Amino acid sequence: MSGSIELVQTTKVYDQISVVDAINVKVDKGSYCCLLGPSGCGKSTTLRMIAGHEAVTEGDILLNDRNVTRLTPRQRGTAMMFQDYALFPHMSCLDNVAYGLKVTGVSKVDRYEQADAMLGLVNMAEHANKFPDQLSGGQQQRIALARALICKPDVVLLDEPLSALDPFLRIQMRKELKQLQQKLGLTFIHVTHSQEEAFALADQAIVMSRGKIEQVGSPRAIFESPNTPFVANFIGGHNVLKASGSLEFLSWSAGSDSDDPLLEANTSFSVRADHITTQPRSDKDVAVKAEVIGTEFQAQFYLVECVLEDSQSVTCYLPEESFDVHLISSGKSLYLYWSQERINTFRC
Ligand code: ADP
Ligand code: MG
């Protein structure tokens, strides 16, 4: 069974501060959801409230439309995998996994049979008799996952599950997590501060800042049109600019057939770094003079940092052909172009 989760005005107050502030969001049954945001924004607190490890100050939590706000973790049908795995050091892998069933009163024969099957599912059957300190980080993580899954939860909650792993293993384990979630058809809610990780995994991403939700959507929808300057800055690859100074002309000229200005004076907007070119594609493109202040080779493209005449910074990702053709280096003056359709105005 898999479950949907709904948060309704869910709030957590610590020392008179709302660290999670009346958030409303729905996570679909069977989806992979990532809670994304900088450190301290309230992700773990939100996850712990869903798990029942943290009391809700105000608001409700619904699991499959059932109000579980006042239920204990075990009564809810959720399972949590902690950031440090929290394995019992004095127990074998098999015992660690079987333990979850012991406390629910399953017979010894049944619990070892199920724990064996679960170890098989996470490719750890051959390590059943080892102790946690005899395992690598990735293997410990698989055991922690097996332990979370053995009680057949409707929703699996994972708090920064990949952060203790080295970068290579992190990418491998993230693939395994997604494959397992798809195979089991369960709802996963995965907390991370890495937009790259969230974008790679999530069907639905929830971007948080200071206890509030900034945006909910598919990674692609969020990347295509960030709702707020915070989201644009946090997910990276975007320039947050103002229709003033060097870009003031955007507030009086549409450059198109319509007489409406593109933007209101002084408003902020964003444009993706990979949507900026050094060659116009149409005579309606926005064109602005800039000076290169730094370049970085990034394998698939060059990251070129520029500054406009009014000091606004613009970063562009240029393909190596453009980089070579324009002999780009620090101190060079050039024009930057982007299509008017590429301008993202913020909704909030
Ligand atoms: P995140 O997981 O996004 O890094 P947390 O949910 O852990 O953030 O914390 C959100 C805020 O709540 C932080 O400012 C943190 O200091 C505060 N906080 C978390 N747990 C407690 C607690 N038990 N008592 C007081 N403040 C807490
Ligand atoms: Mg946290």
Side-chain angles (χ1 to χ4, degrees):
M1 259 269 288
S2 138
S4 64
I5 288 282
E6 190 170 357
L7 304 182
V8 185
Q9 296 290 108
T10 311
T11 301
K12 180 71 194 184
V13 176
Y14 284 125
D15 309 324
Q16 282 138 43
I17 297 167
S18 297
V19 301
V20 176
D21 194 2
I23 61 174
N24 294 291
V25 71
K26 191 161 182 196
V27 176
D28 288 337
K29 198 182 271 228
S31 64
Y32 204 116
C33 171
C34 285
L35 256 180
L36 172 67
S39 179
C41 73
K43 306 179 297 294
S44 294
T45 305
T46 303
L47 201 72
R48 287 203 305 268
M49 287 195 288
I50 298 171
H53 293 300
E54 196 77 71
V56 171
T57 311
E58 262 179 75
D60 289 301
I61 295 172
L62 312 183
L63 198 159
N64 282 335
D65 301 321
R66 178 175 68 122
N67 195 327
V68 297
T69 318
R70 313 273 162 235
L71 300 186
T72 64
R74 205 167 302 144
Q75 290 168 326
R76 292 184 184 209
T78 55
M80 178 125 170
M81 194 178 109
F82 295 94
Q83 198 162 353
D84 58 1
Y85 312 141
L87 296 175
F88 300 119
H90 59 287
M91 285 188 192
S92 69
C93 292
L94 189 67
D95 284 329
N96 260 288
V97 177
Y99 183 81
L101 294 177
K102 189 175 181 181
V103 288
T104 57
V106 176
S107 77
K108 194 168 179 175
V109 175
D110 281 352
R111 50 179 201 264
Y112 282 110
E113 198 174 306
Q114 290 180 42
D116 259 336
M118 206 45 81
L119 285 175
L121 186 72
V122 296
N123 295 321
M124 286 294 289
E126 64 193 286
H127 303 286
N129 296 318
K130 287 190 179 163
F131 286 83
D133 66 359
Q134 295 171 311
L135 302 177
S136 71
Q139 290 170 332
Q140 287 183 28
Q141 200 214 32
R142 290 200 184 105
I143 299 298
L145 192 59
R147 199 177 56 175
L149 292 172
I150 198 156
C151 291
K152 302 193 175 62
D154 296 329
V155 179
V156 182
L157 306 166
L158 309 118
D159 194 354
E160 308 251 5
L162 305 172
S163 61
L165 307 176
D166 65 60
F168 183 78
L169 202 53
R170 202 176 298 154
I171 290 171
Q172 188 191 331
M173 287 307 295
R174 114 180 153 202
K175 267 192 217 146
E176 288 187 23
L177 273 181
K178 179 85 177 184
Q179 281 166 0
L180 198 60
Q181 182 267 339
Q182 286 175 334
K183 185 169 168 185
L184 299 173
L186 294 177
T187 312
F188 273 37
I189 305 181
H190 172 139
V191 160
T192 177
H193 59 264
S194 154
Q195 62 81 22
E196 188 206 338
E197 192 171 301
F199 281 8
L201 283 166
D203 300 313
Q204 180 191 38
I206 301 171
V207 187
M208 289 184 71
S209 164
R210 297 162 178 246
K212 289 192 184 291
I213 292 177
E214 293 270 326
Q215 191 160 1
V216 179
S218 70
R220 184 155 173 181
I222 292 173
F223 193 66
E224 272 174 9
S225 80
N227 267 350
T228 62
F230 169 85
V231 174
N233 283 319
F234 183 73
I235 60 179
H238 288 260
N239 291 286
V240 176
L241 299 168
K242 242 184 177 183
S244 62
S246 304
L247 295 168
E248 194 188 359
F249 65 92
L250 295 173
S251 68
W252 41 262
S253 112
S256 67
D257 301 338
S258 127
D259 286 326
D260 296 333
L262 274 173
L263 294 163
E264 278 178 42
N266 288 316
T267 50
S268 294
F269 64 96
S270 65
V271 60
R272 275 165 52 171
D274 60 338
H275 283 164
I276 297 176
T277 58
T278 47
Q279 211 87 62
R281 301 227 168 108
S282 130
D283 58 7
K284 290 176 189 159
D285 275 5
V286 174
V288 65
K289 202 167 169 218
E291 185 185 326
V292 176
I293 54 165
T295 65
E296 267 181 19
F297 177 59
Q298 304 259 332
Q300 294 93 340
F301 58 86
Y302 276 92
L303 185 156
V304 179
E305 274 185 88
C306 301
V307 64
L308 306 184
E309 284 176 331
D310 69 344
S311 314
Q312 294 196 69
S313 304
V314 180
T315 298
C316 14
Y317 299 161
L318 298 181
E320 59 189 10
E321 308 85 72
S322 313
F323 191 85
D324 293 345
V325 164
H326 294 282
L327 302 168
I328 286 180
S329 62
S330 292
K332 183 177 174 78
S333 288
L334 78 178
Y335 272 87
L336 301 176
Y337 302 90
W338 62 84
S339 156
Q340 292 176 21
E341 285 84 57
R342 299 300 198 186
I343 291 177
N344 171 64
T345 47
F346 298 118
R347 278 174 292 280
C348 317

